[in-house]
Amino acid sequence: MSQSIVLTNVRIIDPSRNVDEIGAVIVKDGVIVAAGKDANNQGTPEATEVKDCNGLVAVPGLVDARVFVGEPGAEHRETIESASRAAAVGGVTSFIAMPDTDPVIDDIALVEFMQKNARDKAIVNVYPAAALTKGLAGTEMTEFGLLREAGAVCFTNGRRPLHDTLILRRAMTYAREFGAVVALETRDKYLGAGGVMNEGLLASWLGLSGIPREAEIIPLERDLRVAGLTKGAYHAAQLSVPESAEAIEVARKRGANVTCGVSINNLTLNENDIGEYRTFFKLSPPLRSEDDRVKMVEALAKGTIDIVVSSHDPQDVDTKRLPFADAADGAIGLETLLAAALRLYHDGSVPLMRLIDALSTRPAAIFGLEAGTLKPGAKADIALIDLEEPWILSKDAIVSRSKNTPFENARFTGRVVQTYVAGKLVHAL
């Protein structure tokens, strides 16, 4: 049975109820009984641990909608178990696992494999996403109805964009019938071909081929039109340029059911961080200019961008310790998602309520997950945060099996001190 706890004298931020107040969180048998200032007067259940959280903030556990794990097929990079431990350190209590595994998660047996492994080994909630096309090849749709029934929470081609417009139309029509979201990368296979970083002056100086912003905007515009045509739920997985956010706004005004996300990397880093060919900063979408980064932060604060994801993508030395153009894209991020995001709070760019909404409540709502709230009756998935604790990320402290973080030796202010999943303590400093 899960523990029963009472967190007292804690600042509670719960975007699902627009609550920001000092009070208590009462948890009994893994379920929230009360959370707020009114909970101070409700007594303490028997056999309950009481923790004084003066100076700390309690928020709904984070929900990361874009996580790559190596299991099955590349367990040396990451397993479901190791990813879940990394998530707990970062205050992430639920994540959606992408289908880019070997074999690809494109049939019922593999969805069930992911769920069983998650139940047996993970210390946070793991939700499988199913491949939109068989083998992620982009040519033949998977069995949406059966995969949805088996527990797939959305359909995506993971890292691979979908180029066939007719398949996209059919996929979104089917997904609509099953109440599912189609989540896609937007990268044109021709404009983006061969590019390894943002197209611009810096790429020219470094002698590297660039990826123009139009490589993202053009397929996004197409997807948004198809979303409007089919009335399906469409989610642009990772946007990196402000013109994309503007396109989302226009599509919404036309009545399309569309949402979008942004990687924490594109909110807190820019192309200059690549420096002298630092491959841990080789990402997809690429790090853009500082002007782009600032405008994406503004779009997040405004609510045009719905959610923030870690895009946790473990890579090992065999794929990263290479010349920049040859290195794989991707960086780990589960452990640093919140700490990096808090930079936007501390510099006044994004209010804390909006930030927690984008990291927890909104992704849970988009993908229909039982998470993202501290309301009575909800599972007690909670992250306790010290907003002012200074710390430095050292390579030795990284829990993930892979160490390809762009934040090695970075200084942060604000840290998760405890993480609870269904009332059970799964991480403590």
Side-chain angles (χ1 to χ4, degrees), residues 92-280:
V92 176
T93 56
S94 300
F95 69 75
I96 298 177
M98 295 292 103
D100 310 48
T101 52
D102 185 11
V104 170
I105 310 300
D106 61 2
D107 70 28
I108 298 170
L110 288 161
V111 170
E112 292 174 346
F113 166 83
M114 294 288 287
Q115 291 179 314
K116 182 179 186 306
N117 261 11
R119 281 195 305 270
D120 294 346
K121 300 176 182 176
I123 60 174
V124 304
N125 306 301
V126 179
Y127 298 94
L132 188 144
T133 58
K134 292 184 178 178
L136 301 176
T139 55
E140 185 179 358
M141 281 178 52
T142 53
E143 298 284 351
F144 277 27
L146 296 176
L147 289 165
R148 182 72 167 156
E149 189 176 336
V153 297
C154 66
F155 295 92
T156 175
N157 252 23
R159 299 184 185 91
R160 301 187 192 184
L162 184 64
H163 305 297
D164 189 317
T165 310
L166 183 56
I167 288 182
L168 175 60
R169 179 180 182 177
R170 289 172 176 165
M172 293 193 66
T173 302
Y174 273 86
R176 180 196 66 203
E177 296 303 313
F178 295 107
V181 177
V182 168
L184 289 177
E185 288 271 322
T186 55
R187 187 174 67 251
D188 185 88
K189 67 176 179 179
Y190 300 110
L191 285 175
V196 296
M197 67 172 292
N198 183 45
E199 183 172 284
L201 192 57
L202 183 59
S204 299
W205 285 347
L206 294 174
L208 297 172
S209 56
I211 303 172
R213 55 213 306 115
E214 286 76 12
E216 174 178 299
I217 299 166
I218 291 172
L220 175 66
E221 294 272 17
R222 178 206 65 169
D223 291 0
L224 296 176
R225 288 290 179 178
V226 176
L229 175 67
T230 61
K231 311 299 182 189
Y234 171 80
H235 180 75
Q238 298 186 105
L239 302 183
S240 67
V241 295
E243 292 89 341
S244 295
E246 293 168 5
I248 293 287
E249 283 190 324
V250 171
R252 285 174 177 160
K253 288 177 182 176
R254 290 197 299 258
N257 182 12
V258 298
T259 55
C260 63
V262 62
S263 164
I264 188 63
N265 300 315
N266 289 100
L267 293 174
T268 57
L269 304 169
N270 65 40
E271 61 182 349
N272 296 315
D273 289 301
I274 292 172
E276 296 183 355
Y277 307 98
R278 301 165 71 189
T279 59
F280 283 10

Side-chain angles (χ1 to χ4, degrees), residues 4 18 25 35 49 64 77 84 105 117 129 176 183 187 218 228 235 242 270 291 305 316 361 369 387 389 410 416:
S4 296
N18 197 31
V25 179
E49 175 190 354
D64 192 344
R77 294 180 187 170
S84 78
I105 310 300
N117 261 11
R176 180 196 66 203
R187 187 174 67 251
I218 291 172
H235 180 75
N270 65 40
D291 285 346
I305 294 177
D316 57 20
T361 303
L369 308 183
L387 288 175
E389 179 173 334
V416 174

Side-chain angles (χ1 to χ4, degrees), residues 13-17 59-63 300-301 303 305-308 350-366 372:
I13 296 181
D14 181 4
S16 74
R17 299 178 296 155
V59 304
L62 307 191
V63 178
L300 172 68
I305 294 177
D306 297 272
I307 69 172
V308 180
V350 183
L352 191 55
M353 180 73 80
R354 171 78 266 267
L355 203 57
I356 300 304
D357 180 46
L359 290 165
S360 178
T361 303
R362 190 72 182 120
I366 290 172

Side-chain angles (χ1 to χ4, degrees), residues 298-347:
E298 291 172 354
L300 172 68
K302 185 180 175 184
T304 302
I305 294 177
D306 297 272
I307 69 172
V308 180
V309 296
S310 73
S311 291
H312 182 83
D313 194 350
Q315 300 289 336
D316 57 20
V317 293
D318 292 339
T319 55
K320 276 296 189 183
R321 299 294 185 191
L322 297 169
F324 192 89
D326 299 328
D329 296 328
I332 59 171
L334 278 165
E335 293 165 69
T336 51
L337 173 61
L338 178 68
L342 285 176
R343 288 178 170 178
L344 309 178
Y345 159 68
H346 286 299
D347 70 11

